[in-house]
Amino acid sequence: MAALEEPALTELRAWQRRMQQKPTLLGRLTRRAQARLNALLPEKVHAAITTAIKQTVRGVLFGSTHTTRRPEATATLAEREAAVRSTLRYYRNTAAAEGAVTGAGGFLLGLADFPLLLGLKLKFLFDVAALYGYDVRDYTERLFLLHIFQLAFSSQHTRNDVYQRVANWDAYRHTLPTDVHEFDWRTFQQEYRDYIDLAKMAQLVPVIGAAVGAVANYRLLEQLGDTAMNCYRLRWLHAANEATPATPVPVT
Protein backbone atom coordinates (compact mmCIF):
# COMPACT_ATOMS: atom_id res chain seq x y z
CA MET A 1 0.00 0.00 0.00
CA ALA A 2 2.98 2.28 0.53
CA ALA A 3 3.32 2.41 -3.26
CA LEU A 4 0.45 4.90 -3.35
CA GLU A 5 0.06 8.04 -1.29
CA GLU A 6 -3.03 8.10 0.90
CA PRO A 7 -5.14 10.47 -1.29
CA ALA A 8 -4.41 8.40 -4.41
CA LEU A 9 -5.15 5.15 -2.56
CA THR A 10 -8.45 6.56 -1.27
CA GLU A 11 -9.45 7.59 -4.79
CA LEU A 12 -8.46 4.16 -6.13
CA ARG A 13 -10.53 2.28 -3.55
CA ALA A 14 -13.58 4.46 -4.21
CA TRP A 15 -13.18 3.88 -7.95
CA GLN A 16 -12.86 0.12 -7.44
CA ARG A 17 -16.14 0.08 -5.54
CA ARG A 18 -17.85 1.97 -8.38
CA MET A 19 -16.49 -0.47 -10.95
CA GLN A 20 -17.87 -3.44 -8.99
CA GLN A 21 -21.31 -2.10 -8.17
CA LYS A 22 -24.31 -4.05 -9.36
CA PRO A 23 -26.31 -2.43 -12.18
CA THR A 24 -29.12 -0.25 -10.84
CA LEU A 25 -32.75 -0.78 -11.81
CA LEU A 26 -32.56 2.31 -14.03
CA GLY A 27 -29.38 1.01 -15.58
CA ARG A 28 -30.94 -2.36 -16.34
CA LEU A 29 -34.02 -0.73 -17.87
CA THR A 30 -31.87 1.59 -19.98
CA ARG A 31 -29.76 -1.33 -21.17
CA ARG A 32 -32.87 -3.26 -22.22
CA ALA A 33 -34.27 -0.24 -24.04
CA GLN A 34 -31.00 0.29 -25.90
CA ALA A 35 -30.87 -3.40 -26.79
CA ARG A 36 -34.35 -3.14 -28.31
CA LEU A 37 -33.37 -0.05 -30.28
CA ASN A 38 -30.22 -1.75 -31.54
CA ALA A 39 -32.28 -4.75 -32.60
CA LEU A 40 -34.32 -2.48 -34.86
CA LEU A 41 -31.25 -1.46 -36.84
CA PRO A 42 -30.49 -3.62 -39.90
CA GLU A 43 -27.47 -5.87 -39.60
CA LYS A 44 -25.81 -3.96 -42.44
CA VAL A 45 -25.95 -0.77 -40.34
CA HIS A 46 -24.37 -2.50 -37.34
CA ALA A 47 -21.67 -3.98 -39.57
CA ALA A 48 -20.93 -0.59 -41.14
CA ILE A 49 -20.68 1.18 -37.77
CA THR A 50 -18.52 -1.59 -36.32
CA THR A 51 -16.17 -1.44 -39.30
CA ALA A 52 -15.93 2.36 -39.17
CA ILE A 53 -15.09 2.42 -35.46
CA LYS A 54 -12.73 -0.53 -35.79
CA GLN A 55 -10.78 1.17 -38.59
CA THR A 56 -10.67 4.49 -36.73
CA VAL A 57 -9.45 2.88 -33.52
CA ARG A 58 -6.92 0.65 -35.29
CA GLY A 59 -5.60 3.66 -37.20
CA VAL A 60 -4.93 5.48 -33.94
CA LEU A 61 -3.67 2.40 -32.12
CA PHE A 62 -1.08 1.59 -34.74
CA GLY A 63 -0.37 5.13 -35.97
CA SER A 64 0.16 6.80 -32.61
CA THR A 65 2.99 4.46 -31.68
CA HIS A 66 5.19 6.58 -33.94
CA THR A 67 4.23 9.91 -32.34
CA THR A 68 3.82 9.03 -28.66
CA ARG A 69 6.51 10.09 -26.20
CA ARG A 70 8.94 7.52 -24.84
CA PRO A 71 7.92 5.73 -21.61
CA GLU A 72 8.90 7.71 -18.51
CA ALA A 73 11.47 5.62 -16.68
CA THR A 74 12.67 7.54 -13.62
CA ALA A 75 9.86 9.73 -12.26
CA THR A 76 8.08 9.05 -8.98
CA LEU A 77 4.39 8.21 -9.01
CA ALA A 78 3.54 11.70 -7.75
CA GLU A 79 5.54 13.26 -10.59
CA ARG A 80 3.88 10.99 -13.13
CA GLU A 81 0.40 11.86 -11.92
CA ALA A 82 1.14 15.59 -11.95
CA ALA A 83 2.18 15.20 -15.60
CA VAL A 84 -0.97 13.14 -16.34
CA ARG A 85 -3.19 15.86 -14.87
CA SER A 86 -1.42 18.49 -16.95
CA THR A 87 -1.87 16.35 -20.07
CA LEU A 88 -5.54 15.83 -19.22
CA ARG A 89 -6.10 19.59 -19.00
CA TYR A 90 -4.67 20.01 -22.49
CA TYR A 91 -6.78 17.26 -24.06
CA ARG A 92 -9.88 18.25 -22.10
CA ASN A 93 -9.66 21.85 -23.32
CA THR A 94 -8.90 20.70 -26.88
CA ALA A 95 -11.92 18.38 -26.84
CA ALA A 96 -14.17 21.13 -25.48
CA ALA A 97 -13.04 23.53 -28.21
CA GLU A 98 -13.55 20.86 -30.88
CA GLY A 99 -17.03 20.10 -29.53
CA ALA A 100 -17.97 23.77 -29.57
CA VAL A 101 -16.84 24.22 -33.18
CA THR A 102 -18.54 21.09 -34.51
CA GLY A 103 -21.64 21.75 -32.41
CA ALA A 104 -21.97 25.25 -33.84
CA GLY A 105 -21.66 23.93 -37.38
CA GLY A 106 -25.01 22.18 -37.55
CA PHE A 107 -25.95 18.57 -38.17
CA LEU A 108 -23.31 17.55 -40.72
CA LEU A 109 -20.39 19.13 -38.89
CA GLY A 110 -21.76 17.72 -35.64
CA LEU A 111 -21.43 14.23 -37.09
CA ALA A 112 -17.74 14.87 -37.69
CA ASP A 113 -17.27 15.26 -33.93
CA PHE A 114 -17.57 11.49 -33.41
CA PRO A 115 -14.32 10.38 -35.10
CA LEU A 116 -12.45 13.52 -34.02
CA LEU A 117 -13.31 12.99 -30.36
CA LEU A 118 -12.57 9.27 -30.58
CA GLY A 119 -9.11 10.02 -31.92
CA LEU A 120 -8.41 12.58 -29.18
CA LYS A 121 -9.43 10.13 -26.46
CA LEU A 122 -7.18 7.38 -27.77
CA LYS A 123 -4.20 9.71 -28.28
CA PHE A 124 -4.67 10.90 -24.70
CA LEU A 125 -4.50 7.31 -23.48
CA PHE A 126 -1.24 6.76 -25.38
CA ASP A 127 0.31 9.73 -23.61
CA VAL A 128 -0.96 8.55 -20.21
CA ALA A 129 0.51 5.08 -20.76
CA ALA A 130 3.92 6.59 -21.53
CA LEU A 131 3.79 8.86 -18.47
CA TYR A 132 3.15 5.85 -16.24
CA GLY A 133 6.12 4.11 -17.84
CA TYR A 134 4.42 1.62 -20.18
CA ASP A 135 5.59 1.07 -23.75
CA VAL A 136 2.65 1.14 -26.18
CA ARG A 137 4.77 -0.57 -28.83
CA ASP A 138 3.81 -3.67 -26.87
CA TYR A 139 0.64 -5.02 -28.47
CA THR A 140 -0.90 -5.99 -25.12
CA GLU A 141 -0.41 -2.46 -23.81
CA ARG A 142 -2.49 -1.15 -26.70
CA LEU A 143 -5.24 -3.61 -25.86
CA PHE A 144 -5.04 -2.43 -22.25
CA LEU A 145 -5.92 1.04 -23.54
CA LEU A 146 -9.05 -0.40 -25.14
CA HIS A 147 -10.02 -1.93 -21.81
CA ILE A 148 -9.59 1.46 -20.11
CA PHE A 149 -11.81 2.93 -22.82
CA GLN A 150 -14.47 0.29 -22.20
CA LEU A 151 -14.42 0.90 -18.45
CA ALA A 152 -14.96 4.61 -19.01
CA PHE A 153 -17.73 4.37 -21.60
CA SER A 154 -19.82 1.26 -21.00
CA SER A 155 -22.85 0.18 -19.02
CA GLN A 156 -22.32 -1.01 -15.46
CA HIS A 157 -22.95 -4.58 -16.58
CA THR A 158 -20.01 -4.44 -19.00
CA ARG A 159 -17.84 -2.56 -16.51
CA ASN A 160 -18.19 -5.41 -14.03
CA ASP A 161 -16.70 -7.83 -16.57
CA VAL A 162 -13.99 -5.53 -17.91
CA TYR A 163 -12.88 -4.50 -14.42
CA GLN A 164 -12.10 -8.11 -13.53
CA ARG A 165 -9.79 -8.35 -16.55
CA VAL A 166 -8.04 -5.09 -15.66
CA ALA A 167 -7.71 -6.05 -11.99
CA ASN A 168 -5.91 -9.25 -13.00
CA TRP A 169 -4.18 -7.91 -16.10
CA ASP A 170 -0.83 -9.65 -15.64
CA ALA A 171 -2.57 -13.01 -15.92
CA TYR A 172 -5.24 -11.99 -18.40
CA ARG A 173 -2.82 -10.46 -20.91
CA HIS A 174 -1.45 -13.94 -21.69
CA THR A 175 -4.90 -15.03 -22.90
CA LEU A 176 -5.32 -12.13 -25.34
CA PRO A 177 -5.72 -12.87 -29.05
CA THR A 178 -2.63 -12.25 -31.15
CA ASP A 179 -4.74 -10.75 -33.93
CA VAL A 180 -6.42 -7.39 -33.24
CA HIS A 181 -9.26 -8.47 -35.56
CA GLU A 182 -10.31 -10.98 -32.88
CA PHE A 183 -11.10 -8.21 -30.40
CA ASP A 184 -14.85 -7.90 -29.70
CA TRP A 185 -15.37 -4.78 -31.81
CA ARG A 186 -19.16 -5.20 -32.00
CA THR A 187 -19.59 -4.91 -28.22
CA PHE A 188 -16.99 -2.13 -28.09
CA GLN A 189 -18.82 0.08 -30.59
CA GLN A 190 -22.32 -0.63 -29.28
CA GLU A 191 -21.45 0.12 -25.67
CA TYR A 192 -19.56 3.28 -26.63
CA ARG A 193 -22.30 4.50 -28.93
CA ASP A 194 -25.07 3.76 -26.44
CA TYR A 195 -23.16 5.44 -23.61
CA ILE A 196 -22.54 8.75 -25.35
CA ASP A 197 -25.77 8.99 -27.39
CA LEU A 198 -27.72 10.95 -24.76
CA ALA A 199 -24.79 13.17 -23.89
CA LYS A 200 -24.09 14.06 -27.52
CA MET A 201 -27.50 14.05 -29.20
CA ALA A 202 -28.31 17.65 -28.26
CA GLN A 203 -25.06 18.74 -29.90
CA LEU A 204 -26.80 18.34 -33.26
CA VAL A 205 -29.51 20.87 -32.31
CA PRO A 206 -29.00 24.38 -33.76
CA VAL A 207 -28.20 27.26 -31.37
CA ILE A 208 -27.44 25.10 -28.30
CA GLY A 209 -25.15 22.66 -30.14
CA ALA A 210 -21.93 24.58 -29.45
CA ALA A 211 -22.48 24.80 -25.70
CA VAL A 212 -23.60 21.19 -25.43
CA GLY A 213 -20.66 19.96 -27.50
CA ALA A 214 -18.13 21.83 -25.37
CA VAL A 215 -19.55 20.65 -22.04
CA ALA A 216 -20.12 17.05 -23.16
CA ASN A 217 -16.62 16.66 -24.58
CA TYR A 218 -15.07 18.25 -21.49
CA ARG A 219 -16.86 15.82 -19.18
CA LEU A 220 -16.16 12.78 -21.34
CA LEU A 221 -12.41 13.52 -21.27
CA GLU A 222 -12.60 14.13 -17.53
CA GLN A 223 -14.19 10.72 -17.06
CA LEU A 224 -11.63 9.02 -19.27
CA GLY A 225 -8.81 10.68 -17.36
CA ASP A 226 -10.16 9.50 -14.01
CA THR A 227 -10.56 5.94 -15.31
CA ALA A 228 -7.08 5.86 -16.85
CA MET A 229 -5.35 7.14 -13.71
CA ASN A 230 -7.03 4.55 -11.51
CA CYS A 231 -6.31 1.70 -13.93
CA TYR A 232 -2.61 2.54 -13.89
CA ARG A 233 -2.64 3.09 -10.13
CA LEU A 234 -3.95 -0.45 -9.84
CA ARG A 235 -1.11 -1.79 -11.98
CA TRP A 236 1.42 0.29 -10.08
CA LEU A 237 0.13 -1.15 -6.82
CA HIS A 238 0.25 -4.71 -8.16
CA ALA A 239 3.82 -4.23 -9.38
CA ALA A 240 4.89 -2.85 -6.01
CA ASN A 241 3.38 -5.88 -4.30
CA GLU A 242 5.14 -8.33 -6.64
CA ALA A 243 2.15 -8.61 -8.96
CA THR A 244 -0.07 -10.19 -6.30
CA PRO A 245 -3.60 -10.57 -7.79
CA ALA A 246 -5.95 -7.89 -6.56
CA THR A 247 -8.46 -8.78 -3.87
CA PRO A 248 -11.94 -7.60 -4.90
CA VAL A 249 -13.13 -4.67 -2.83
CA PRO A 250 -16.40 -5.42 -0.99
CA VAL A 251 -19.28 -3.45 -2.42
CA THR A 252 -21.06 -1.42 0.24
Side-chain angles (χ1 to χ4, degrees):
M1 297 301 177
L4 295 180
E5 295 181 358
E6 191 60 34
L9 183 59
T10 299
E11 290 178 13
L12 173 61
R13 293 312 188 205
W15 175 81
Q16 286 182 286
R17 285 191 288 271
R18 292 198 303 273
M19 294 301 103
Q20 296 178 92
Q21 286 176 345
K22 294 181 179 179
T24 63
L25 176 60
L26 178 60
R28 291 195 298 270
L29 292 174
T30 300
R31 182 178 173 84
R32 289 173 190 165
Q34 289 171 332
R36 291 192 184 105
L37 289 174
N38 285 329
L40 296 176
L41 291 175
E43 181 57 32
K44 289 183 179 180
V45 174
H46 281 297
I49 295 174
T50 298
T51 299
I53 291 181
K54 176 181 176 180
Q55 296 304 327
T56 300
V57 173
R58 287 184 67 227
V60 176
L61 284 180
F62 290 93
S64 293
T65 56
H66 304 295
T67 59
T68 303
R69 67 186 80 189
R70 291 180 178 275
E72 178 57 57
T74 60
T76 65
L77 181 60
E79 291 169 338
R80 294 172 194 274
E81 297 211 328
V84 169
R85 290 189 177 93
S86 176
T87 300
L88 175 59
R89 283 194 295 272
Y90 168 78
Y91 278 95
R92 195 175 53 199
N93 293 338
T94 301
E98 180 266 310
V101 171
T102 54
F107 181 79
L108 292 178
L109 195 54
L111 293 177
D113 173 67
F114 189 89
L116 291 173
L117 182 60
L118 184 59
L120 274 176
K121 289 173 180 174
L122 291 169
K123 186 61 174 68
F124 165 70
L125 289 179
F126 269 78
D127 285 350
V128 171
L131 288 170
Y132 276 103
Y134 292 94
D135 191 346
V136 292
R137 289 176 296 181
D138 182 337
Y139 165 75
T140 63
E141 291 301 334
R142 281 173 269 164
L143 285 187
F144 185 72
L145 300 186
L146 292 185
H147 282 72
I148 295 175
F149 201 94
Q150 283 187 298
L151 275 179
F153 306 119
S154 292
S155 65
Q156 189 62 43
H157 180 275
T158 299
R159 281 177 179 166
N160 292 159
D161 292 336
V162 176
Y163 171 77
Q164 294 304 321
R165 299 174 206 160
V166 169
N168 297 282
W169 186 255
D170 286 335
Y172 178 73
R173 70 191 304 165
H174 298 297
T175 70
L176 290 168
T178 56
D179 186 351
V180 72
H181 291 283
E182 295 179 34
F183 185 77
D184 188 358
W185 294 103
R186 174 69 168 264
T187 299
F188 182 87
Q189 66 89 6
Q190 272 193 192
E191 289 282 349
Y192 178 59
R193 198 182 73 228
D194 290 346
Y195 186 89
I196 70 170
D197 269 351
L198 293 178
K200 303 290 286 179
M201 193 62 69
Q203 185 176 339
L204 304 180
V205 179
V207 181
I208 67 169
V212 171
V215 173
N217 285 10
Y218 185 96
R219 290 180 176 174
L220 289 170
L221 258 295
E222 184 74 24
Q223 182 163 335
L224 183 61
D226 177 70
T227 304
M229 287 185 71
N230 282 299
C231 284
Y232 281 111
R233 283 169 175 169
L234 195 57
R235 291 186 70 181
W236 187 278
L237 191 59
H238 287 181
N241 288 281
E242 299 180 337
T244 300
T247 300
V249 177
V251 177
T252 58

